[in-house]
Amino acid sequence: MREVYERLHLSRLHASPWQDTRSAESRRNDEVDDLLHEWANEKKREAKILFTGCGGSGKATLLRHLRILYGVPYTGDERRQWKMTIIKNMLSDSDAVLQYMRDQRIEFENDSNKDYAQAITAWSCNDDSNVVSGHIFEALKYLRIDKGYQSALFQTRDSWTHYPHSTLNLHYFINNLERLSAPNDLPSDEDILRASKRLCGITEVICDIGERKCRLYELGGSRGERKKWIHLFDDCSAVFFLAALNEYDQQLSEDSSVNRLSEALTLFESVTRSVWFANSAIVLFFTKVDIFLEKVTSGEIPIGKYFPEYDMLPNDIAAAQEFFANKFKKVAQITRKEIQVHYINVLSAESVKEAMSILQI
Ligand SMILES: Nc1nc2c(ncn2[C@@H]2O[C@H](COP(=O)(O)OP(=O)(O)OP(=O)(O)O)[C@@H](O)[C@H]2O)c(=O)[nH]1
Ligand SMILES: [Mg+2]
């Protein structure tokens, strides 16, 4: 509103009283009406969108990707901060692979790599460390070509082995190790997209998607903390609910009797029933379809084993997608008429652009 009055004041300063026969008061009323109308339309064009979904479903990655595609580019300072995050990701993920090797008794191809492994584990144990020596990068270079390490890296790429840590991004990072460890090189957009950072508080991204100015939000913190903030979003135009489709065969780490996709469905139900979102559009994004596709077509992990009611062909991707979409739609039907459903690979620009182009919010 303040903005409206400031603009009104300016327009009065520039107005010429000789060209208009209306009284000063009526002119002023008309101007106020016009500006209020314009202001209301601007507000209408702006979409406020809340991202929600279970942990690891891709919220932060999609938010970052939308900024890269439609928002303000990352600055040099931001990239410098991301660089340290990426290096820390690389080392802690490598440590997870080494732990997996120990658990599964996978041997190093070259015994001398044990010292390098120890150096990485020692670095990862020191939470505060912001200094990475050349020796640590050298360790990664040697481990990267060790067949034992490579095999563990492959096996942990998507918790196929039910190991709780996915190392898909580590694969990408260590393939780009020379560039990422060079002191003056700043990370690219793709590097930032693949980085992982624990979120505290609220992240806001402002961007223009098509004709619309959008304000996108992700809430960090524990579930309890998020509940305290959720009422701030009662006026949001849309809720983007993300569910990782590749998790159909995985369990929650905190309760191994609960399937992760079933947990997503439970959370989705609470979102569709929430009074705060009664007037918001709900858009369901099934993420990680790239991994889902690989998993289902491999034939190694049949959906029917985890969802016995699935009676379509085991490797029919379209039928499998529809099966899960129907589960979510059924839940949504209880409280609302329709939801939009999209299947995306959040890491692919084409996939994200396609979903945004057909989005109706
Ligand atoms: N291959 C693939 N990886 C994805 C996709 N979406 C997200 N990821 C990866 O999944 C991991 C988790 O993604 P995040 O964006 O951090 O998930 P989040 O929902 O913000 O997770 P929390 O903040 O823990 O709730 C990251 O390593 C991403 O790179 C996808 O569509 N395909
Ligand atoms: Mg996140």
Side-chain angles (χ1 to χ4, degrees):
M1 281 308 274
R2 205 185 133 174
E3 195 189 326
V4 173
Y5 284 118
E6 274 167 8
R7 284 165 61 186
L8 181 63
H9 180 67
L10 272 177
S11 73
R12 289 185 72 207
L13 283 178
H14 294 120
S16 159
W18 311 112
Q19 292 162 1
D20 201 334
T21 52
R22 288 172 299 169
S23 73
E25 193 183 348
S26 134
R27 251 198 335 263
R28 189 171 147 73
N29 280 343
D30 286 351
E31 280 172 356
V32 172
D33 279 353
D34 285 351
L35 282 170
L36 281 175
H37 195 66
E38 203 183 300
W39 179 74
N41 277 341
E42 262 172 32
K43 278 270 155 196
K44 232 184 260 167
R45 276 200 300 270
E46 190 176 289
K48 179 173 169 183
I49 300 169
L50 178 67
F51 283 49
T52 189
C54 291
S57 54
K59 301 178 289 293
T61 311
L62 182 55
L63 212 73
R64 260 180 251 153
H65 212 162
L66 292 174
R67 172 168 171 187
I68 290 166
L69 293 172
Y70 306 107
V72 181
Y74 283 100
T75 63
D77 272 352
E78 285 176 305
R79 285 177 201 274
R80 262 180 283 282
Q81 284 171 19
W82 279 110
K83 181 160 184 162
M84 198 60 220
T85 303
I86 289 168
I87 289 172
K88 285 185 167 180
N89 284 175
M90 228 188 311
L91 290 166
S92 63
D93 286 2
S94 282
D95 189 37
V97 174
L98 294 169
Q99 184 58 47
Y100 180 79
M101 288 179 78
R102 285 191 285 273
D103 293 348
Q104 304 295 320
R105 300 185 189 287
I106 299 174
E107 297 291 331
F108 287 105
E109 178 195 12
N110 184 341
D111 244 18
S112 63
N113 284 335
K114 281 183 183 162
D115 289 345
Y116 284 131
Q118 255 173 12
I120 287 182
T121 301
W123 191 94
S124 300
C125 289
N126 182 2
D127 270 358
D128 299 331
S129 186
N130 270 324
V131 182
V132 185
S133 67
H135 179 65
I136 294 285
F137 289 128
E138 187 182 289
L140 284 175
K141 275 179 203 158
Y142 277 97
L143 289 175
R144 179 175 71 173
I145 51 171
D146 185 287
K147 293 240 158 42
Y149 179 86
Q150 281 175 356
S151 154
L153 183 57
F154 182 75
Q155 289 176 41
T156 52
R157 71 198 185 284
D158 171 45
S159 321
W160 278 42
T161 48
H162 298 275
Y163 193 67
H165 197 92
S166 163
T167 53
L168 261 181
N169 291 332
L170 174 62
H171 205 275
Y172 167 85
F173 286 141
I174 62 167
N175 280 337
N176 289 284
L177 183 60
E178 280 70 15
R179 185 172 55 77
L180 291 166
S181 59
N184 296 323
D185 263 30
L186 290 179
S188 65
D189 286 342
E190 174 150 23
D191 302 334
I192 292 175
L193 200 59
R194 287 170 176 271
S196 155
K197 197 187 216 168
R198 201 164 178 78
L199 169 64
C200 307
I202 298 180
T203 305
E204 183 192 55
V205 165
I206 300 173
C207 56
D208 293 306
I209 302 177
E211 303 281 286
R212 289 268 219 158
K213 180 176 272 311
C214 295
R215 288 177 184 273
L216 317 173
Y217 297 92
E218 186 197 358
L219 306 183
S222 66
R223 204 179 268 195
E225 242 173 279
R226 270 178 263 161
K227 263 191 187 157
K228 278 191 238 154
W229 296 335
I230 211 84
H231 65 278
L232 296 175
F233 294 89
D234 66 335
D235 62 341
C236 66
S237 344
V239 176
F240 282 8
F241 187 95
L242 276 63
L245 204 50
N246 67 319
E247 289 181 349
Y248 67 87
D249 65 324
Q250 293 170 16
Q251 292 90 31
L252 292 182
S253 49
E254 55 274 34
D255 182 352
S256 61
S257 68
V258 180
N259 176 284
R260 290 176 77 100
L261 211 46
S262 302
E263 171 73 359
L265 195 59
T266 308
L267 181 61
F268 181 71
E269 181 169 2
S270 73
V271 168
T272 57
R273 286 177 184 274
S274 167
V275 287
W276 304 117
F277 306 133
N279 299 317
S280 316
I282 302 234
V283 186
L284 171 62
F285 288 97
F286 280 122
T287 59
K288 307 198 184 183
V289 286
D290 50 324
I291 309 175
F292 176 75
L293 194 105
E294 201 188 328
K295 243 175 176 173
V296 172
T297 49
S298 77
E300 286 172 39
I301 307 166
I303 295 170
K305 186 172 163 195
Y306 303 91
F307 291 87
E309 68 276 28
Y310 180 77
D311 58 3
M312 307 302 281
L313 282 176
N315 55 0
D316 183 340
I317 293 293
Q321 288 184 339
E322 202 184 326
F323 168 76
F324 288 112
N326 284 339
K327 276 190 174 297
F328 281 73
K329 280 181 185 165
K330 223 182 206 168
V331 157
Q333 265 166 10
I334 302 168
T335 48
R336 46 180 76 227
K337 278 193 237 75
E338 254 178 55
I339 52 160
Q340 296 177 53
V341 183
H342 298 277
Y343 302 91
I344 57 169
N345 168 2
V346 183
L347 299 176
S348 150
E350 280 66 41
S351 178
V352 172
K353 278 190 206 160
E354 193 193 327
M356 293 303 136
S357 71
I358 47 175
L359 191 68
Q360 293 147 9
I361 43 170

